[in-house]
Amino acid sequence: MRKTIHGAALTALIALSAALAEPAAAPALEGVTGTPGEWQQFGYDPAHRGVNPLETTIQPGNVATLHRLYRAPLPGLVNGAPVFLAGVPTRVGLLDLLFMTTVNGKILAVDAATGRILWSHQPADRPGITASAPAIDPGRQLVYSYGLEGRVHRYRTGDGREVIGGGWPEVATIKPRFEKCSPALAIATAASGRSYLYVTNGGALDLDRGDYQGHITAIDLGSGAQRVWNADCSDQPVHFAVRPRKPNCPAVQSAVWERGGVVYDSDLDRIFFATGNGAFDVPQGRHDWGDSVLELQPDGTGNGALPMDSYTPASFQQLADQDLDLGSTAPALLPALAASRYPHLGLQSGKDGLIRLLDLDDLSGQGRPGQVGGELLTIPVPQGGEVLTAPAVWVDQASGTAWVFLANDAGISGLQLTADAGGTPSLLPVWTRLEGGTSPVVANGIVFYVGPA
């Protein structure tokens, strides 16, 4: 079960977004499209590292001059981060636009300079909530948003016209009363050149009740074809119906609900996500993957009923019994260390207040999915507390030092990724502040996050 933090007005975020939108000379980076300052999906890029490498306008000498430009009311609560697109052709000229999804499934296009709502759509007026955030198509002409009827819709960025046909709007769940999309939508372009939209679902009812099976839906943006991976009954790659209707699954209540959703590793050409709640019974010959980190191919497929690889902590039963979801936060992809024996590393935290360092080339250390344990390192969250936010991962280009910034209700901490003389990697807590807050982001060597005030 997750906690939620709602906000019904657009405030200081605009000062930051507007400043980041100013053009700046910067080298082209692989996988980065659009104008410097644009955030086309949660966490900036398909890896969701939370770092804008193209920002040069805001720097330590002027960051203290940031101030609120305006306060604009919104027509509903927004529990997901907005995405940002610069220079969008609209009926009133070129505008910098923010796109956000309200908890009742309405997408808003907001003028970033004034807070005025340019257009909005609510595809399904029905009970329910979503904490999802939109994602912008790599071509910059379309924005995707989740509706409470269980479908993902696509709209033209400039005028809000919905583009239908070819499978759209795409089904993400056929039982939205029991399942909802909590994480942000995510987009990645695989090594094949095909781009995919990822939609993840968990439970829609409080107290972890209901007939839901956490799953991801991977949608090919070129063809509209989709594939489903279920955290419960992974041997059935379908959307389940409400029991007793078929298809259905006897296992329930695993979930994919972390803020960042699916992350894509371009080096491995794989996607990663984490689950929370539900049973882990793969060693018993079943196909339920509670409290695990799972690796799939970019099109949302694994190796038959198995994922390509998996990590499940030895404490999985304790996590399930005490509602200490491993999947309260998404895996964070770490940069390669020249001195490390492990070229591809990941970080996984959770509601149990621990940080786990994982080898993404062999998640369990046993060469195959479905095994237990295998983490390279486990340390407590430096400031303590459960983690419901997404870490930011940044490399200081001057020193080559890799940093992880982790915020939660208890505070924020900065950790360095290091390796000893034998190539064994480690995470070294360097600093901690006790002012808690949201998922941090990094721009031009500055860490930003929103505190409780």
Side-chain angles (χ1 to χ4, degrees):
M1 184 173 64
R2 68 169 300 129
K3 295 180 180 178
T4 55
I5 302 174
H6 300 308
L10 206 57
T11 54
L13 172 63
I14 300 303
L16 177 58
S17 297
L20 291 179
E22 297 179 20
L29 298 180
E30 182 180 358
V32 177
T33 61
T35 302
E38 289 186 347
W39 290 68
Q40 296 184 11
Q41 61 180 302
F42 181 90
Y44 187 79
D45 60 10
H48 297 175
R49 289 190 174 96
V51 177
N52 178 0
L54 303 181
E55 167 58 29
T56 60
T57 300
I58 299 177
Q59 38 84 13
N62 64 18
V63 67
T65 66
L66 288 176
H67 58 281
R68 188 171 77 192
L69 297 180
Y70 56 78
R71 182 180 177 89
L74 299 175
L77 301 176
V78 175
N79 198 16
V83 291
F84 176 70
L85 197 61
V88 180
T90 74
R91 66 178 185 277
V92 293
L94 292 178
L95 295 178
D96 297 341
L97 294 180
L98 291 158
F99 301 93
M100 59 199 77
T101 302
T102 66
V103 296
N104 62 345
K106 177 181 287 188
I107 182 172
L108 309 174
V110 179
D111 184 344
T114 67
R116 179 173 63 95
I117 296 175
L118 181 69
W119 58 260
S120 66
H121 284 289
Q122 187 167 18
D125 187 9
R126 62 173 63 190
I129 61 172
T130 178
S132 183
I136 296 169
D137 190 84
R140 306 178 76 250
Q141 303 301 308
L142 298 170
V143 59
Y144 303 93
S145 183
Y146 178 79
L148 295 187
E149 87 285 28
R151 292 176 178 265
V152 179
H153 299 255
R154 58 180 180 177
Y155 306 92
R156 296 199 180 277
T157 53
D159 60 16
R161 181 167 64 88
E162 184 169 5
V163 181
I164 61 176
W168 295 92
E170 293 271 355
V171 174
T173 176
I174 59 177
K175 47 182 179 180
R177 178 186 172 192
F178 297 97
E179 295 180 339
K180 72 174 180 180
C181 176
S182 293
L185 304 182
I187 292 177
T189 300
S192 65
R194 306 197 72 85
S195 294
Y196 298 93
L197 175 72
Y198 303 104
V199 193
T200 66
N201 287 78
L205 299 178
D206 291 336
L207 302 178
D208 296 329
R209 297 174 298 190
D211 177 18
Y212 65 86
Q213 292 83 20
H215 63 273
I216 71 164
T217 305
I219 303 167
D220 187 321
L221 294 181
S223 67
Q226 64 168 247
R227 296 180 183 271
V228 180
W229 174 270
N230 286 299
D232 286 326
C233 295
S234 63
D235 54 327
Q236 299 186 60
V238 297
H239 291 297
F240 293 125
V242 178
R243 294 181 294 176
R245 287 181 292 164
K246 296 182 179 181
N248 63 50
C249 172
V252 294
Q253 297 169 7
S254 187
V256 185
W257 62 265
E258 64 263 23
R259 175 62 71 194
V262 172
V263 299
Y264 171 71
D265 189 319
S266 58
D267 289 342
L268 297 174
D269 195 32
R270 292 287 190 268
I271 59 172
F272 296 85
F273 61 97
T275 66
N277 293 340
F280 173 73
D281 52 21
V282 178
Q284 288 76 47
R286 293 188 285 274
H287 301 91
D288 308 316
W289 301 84
D291 289 303
S292 299
V293 175
L294 302 177
E295 174 188 341
L296 300 178
Q297 298 187 76
D299 65 355
T301 61
N303 183 12
L306 299 176
M308 303 305 294
D309 202 359
S310 69
Y311 162 76
T312 306
S315 59
F316 67 87
Q317 192 61 57
Q318 175 192 0
L319 300 184
D321 292 344
Q322 300 181 16
D323 192 31
L324 299 175
D325 302 36
L326 183 73
S328 66
T329 181
L333 307 180
L334 305 181
L337 291 179
S340 174
R341 294 187 287 119
Y342 303 93
H344 303 108
L345 293 169
L347 177 152
Q348 181 66 43
S349 190
K351 287 172 68 176
D352 62 353
L354 298 177
I355 298 173
R356 300 163 174 87
L357 190 63
L358 305 178
D359 176 10
L360 298 183
D361 291 307
D362 187 1
L363 285 169
S364 68
Q366 299 174 63
R368 61 191 187 279
Q371 308 306 301
V372 173
E375 62 276 357
L376 302 177
L377 172 74
T378 301
I379 63 172
V381 172
Q383 67 270 30
E386 62 184 15
V387 178
L388 307 180
T389 56
V393 180
W394 173 71
V395 177
D396 182 352
Q397 297 300 320
S399 65
T401 304
W403 287 84
V404 176
F405 304 106
L406 189 65
N408 61 8
D409 286 348
I412 184 171
S413 54
L415 303 92
Q416 286 186 1
L417 178 64
T418 64
D420 64 18
T424 301
S426 185
L427 285 167
L428 175 66
V430 176
W431 58 262
T432 300
R433 296 182 62 92
L434 299 182
E435 299 88 1
T438 62
S439 303
V441 299
V442 181
N444 204 15
I446 304 171
V447 182
F448 299 87
Y449 73 114
V450 180

